[in-house]
Amino acid sequence: MIIVNTSQIAGKEISEVLGLVRGNTIRARHVGQDIMAGLRNIVGGEVKEYTQMISEAREEALKRMVSEAEKLEADAVINIRFTTSQVMGGAAEILAYGTAVKIG
């Protein structure tokens, strides 16, 4: 499966557009992570606990999007984008989306 954030794939010709595919996950903060984040907020620096949580969520959303594309028998997903939104206090949704295509 080829995954790109561009509308074309270098050296490839798109023969069919299969449609929008997406994958999402919602992650909530953990009390232990909040305590560490609070301490980092006092002394400054990267909040590694949240960086890891968001990175893992992004990977999960991407996997789910690819799974949806595979069900359509796509060869690639183009125009990949990520978006984040807060769904409630302490929880955020990560959404990955793109266009599933066949390569001729």
Side-chain angles (χ1 to χ4, degrees):
M1 177 76 57
I2 299 170
I3 301 170
V4 297
N5 65 348
T6 58
S7 61
Q8 299 293 319
I9 302 170
K12 305 288 184 184
E13 183 179 327
I14 295 169
S15 61
E16 184 180 356
V17 173
L18 301 173
L20 176 72
V21 288
R22 62 190 172 274
N24 71 320
T25 185
I26 297 174
R27 298 291 170 107
R29 295 184 305 202
H30 180 276
V31 172
Q33 290 175 335
D34 279 350
I35 292 169
M36 290 303 295
L39 293 174
R40 288 204 207 292
N41 193 34
I42 293 170
V43 297
E46 179 182 7
V47 184
K48 294 178 183 178
E49 295 80 12
Y50 290 155
T51 300
Q52 180 179 351
M53 180 183 76
I54 293 299
S55 180
E56 290 170 0
R58 194 176 300 115
E59 288 302 315
E60 183 63 33
L62 191 60
K63 278 189 216 174
R64 291 176 181 181
M65 183 200 64
V66 168
S67 176
E68 195 171 306
E70 287 171 343
K71 288 177 187 173
L72 296 175
E73 298 183 0
D75 298 317
V77 181
I78 60 172
N79 286 328
I80 298 296
R81 301 290 184 264
F82 289 96
T83 186
T84 304
S85 62
Q86 184 174 353
V87 292
M88 61 182 252
E93 176 190 37
I94 304 293
L95 172 68
Y97 61 98
T99 304
V101 298
K102 288 287 230 180
I103 296 173

